[in-house]
Amino acid sequence: NAGVTQTPKFQVLKTGQSMTLQCAQDMNHEYMSWYRQDPGMGLRLIHYSVGAGITDQGEVPNGYNVSRSTTEDFPLRLLSAAPSQTSVYFCASKVAGLYNEQFFGPGTRLTVL
Amino acid sequence: GQQVMQIPQYQHVQEGEDFTTYCNSSTTLSNIQWYKQRPGGHPVFLIQLVKSGEVKKQKRLTFQFGEAKKNSSLHITATQTTDVGTYFCAGPRGNNRLAFGKGNQVVVIP
């Protein structure tokens, strides 16, 4: 199993550009989520999904869109990139429910100029 | 805001010494999870605690869940250079969400 995969690993954007961060998992997990990690801020939840066709907002959803058309994929879209979105983005998945560990992808390091 | 608070945020530890990192919540938690992130890496699950007063050990790591299920600690003995990284605790928020603390970044001094 590949686990959770993310592409690209690195990306540089100009302010106002849009892009999609890809995330896929092959563990048949119902729950998938996106976090951003900034120095001193820990991991902050952007959006999450409890199954195909179901998404919801996390702590910091503004400027990001998600969709979940399949169990495997959970892309994150930046609509109009801003320098404040410079961050490391992690996708994670787990079996739905309170008591299950999250598996993280390797991350995407995004810089917005 | 964050549901769980971690202290300290940074630690410098001499190789061979012991250290502890703490996680506190203002509300009772049904469970708490600990993750470790190596520099440049991604968070990796270490352990989950569920029962009041629970203590679990993984080699040199001892995890504890408080009696009131509002705090937790991770104690590492005989620190090694491989212990470098950021340790996160995470508690449930709602039915499916995890709220992470800001992490404790540990630097090991050889």
Side-chain angles (χ1 to χ4, degrees), chain A residues 47-60:
Chain A
H47 285 285
Y48 66 99
S49 168
V50 297
I54 307 169
T55 63
D56 207 345
Q57 295 180 349
E59 301 171 65
V60 289

Side-chain angles (χ1 to χ4, degrees), chain A residues 31 35 37 40-43 45 48 50 57 59 90 94 96-102 104-106, chain B residues 2 9 30-31 33 35 37 41-43 45 48 50 88 92-98 100-102:
Chain A
Y31 182 91
Y35 294 87
Q37 184 174 35
M41 297 298 293
L43 294 158
L45 183 66
Y48 66 99
V50 297
Q57 295 180 349
E59 301 171 65
F90 289 102
K94 70 181 181 78
L98 281 178
Y99 298 96
N100 300 300
E101 67 178 278
Q102 283 206 124
F104 284 82
Chain B
Q2 299 283 357
Q9 203 166 349
S30 58
N31 63 297
Q33 297 181 351
Y35 292 77
Q37 183 180 22
H42 59 275
F45 175 83
Q48 175 171 260
V50 178
F88 292 98
R93 173 179 273 178
N95 286 336
N96 266 295
R97 295 164 56 171
L98 268 183
F100 283 82
K102 292 187 179 182

Side-chain angles (χ1 to χ4, degrees), chain B residues 6-21:
Chain B
Q6 288 190 249
I7 50 171
Q9 203 166 349
Y10 302 98
Q11 285 196 75
H12 288 79
V13 183
Q14 197 78 36
E15 191 176 3
E17 292 188 344
D18 303 350
F19 73 92
T20 304
T21 182

Side-chain angles (χ1 to χ4, degrees), chain A residues 26-74:
Chain A
D26 61 359
M27 297 174 281
N28 203 31
H29 287 167
E30 303 95 334
Y31 182 91
M32 296 185 74
S33 55
W34 277 101
Y35 294 87
R36 61 176 289 174
Q37 184 174 35
D38 304 292
M41 297 298 293
L43 294 158
R44 292 185 291 170
L45 183 66
I46 304 172
H47 285 285
Y48 66 99
S49 168
V50 297
I54 307 169
T55 63
D56 207 345
Q57 295 180 349
E59 301 171 65
V60 289
N62 292 344
Y64 307 96
N65 270 0
V66 291
S67 59
R68 185 97 179 268
S69 55
T70 66
T71 300
E72 293 79 18
D73 301 297
F74 190 43

Side-chain angles (χ1 to χ4, degrees), chain B residues 6-102:
Chain B
Q6 288 190 249
I7 50 171
Q9 203 166 349
Y10 302 98
Q11 285 196 75
H12 288 79
V13 183
Q14 197 78 36
E15 191 176 3
E17 292 188 344
D18 303 350
F19 73 92
T20 304
T21 182
Y22 300 91
C23 181
N24 298 313
S25 170
S26 57
T27 59
T28 301
L29 301 171
S30 58
N31 63 297
I32 195 154
Q33 297 181 351
W34 285 90
Y35 292 77
K36 178 183 177 182
Q37 183 180 22
R38 293 185 187 275
H42 59 275
V44 175
F45 175 83
L46 292 176
I47 209 157
Q48 175 171 260
L49 304 169
V50 178
K51 298 177 184 174
S52 167
E54 188 170 16
V55 178
K56 286 189 177 180
K57 292 190 176 184
Q58 289 179 349
K59 297 183 181 177
R60 295 178 295 104
L61 279 62
T62 301
F63 302 84
Q64 191 161 4
F65 203 9
E67 293 289 342
K69 300 181 76 174
K70 287 186 176 183
N71 53 68
S72 181
S73 64
L74 161 58
H75 181 74
I76 298 183
T77 58
T79 301
Q80 300 177 358
T81 54
T82 53
D83 295 323
V84 66
T86 302
Y87 294 85
F88 292 98
C89 63
R93 173 179 273 178
N95 286 336
N96 266 295
R97 295 164 56 171
L98 268 183
F100 283 82
K102 292 187 179 182

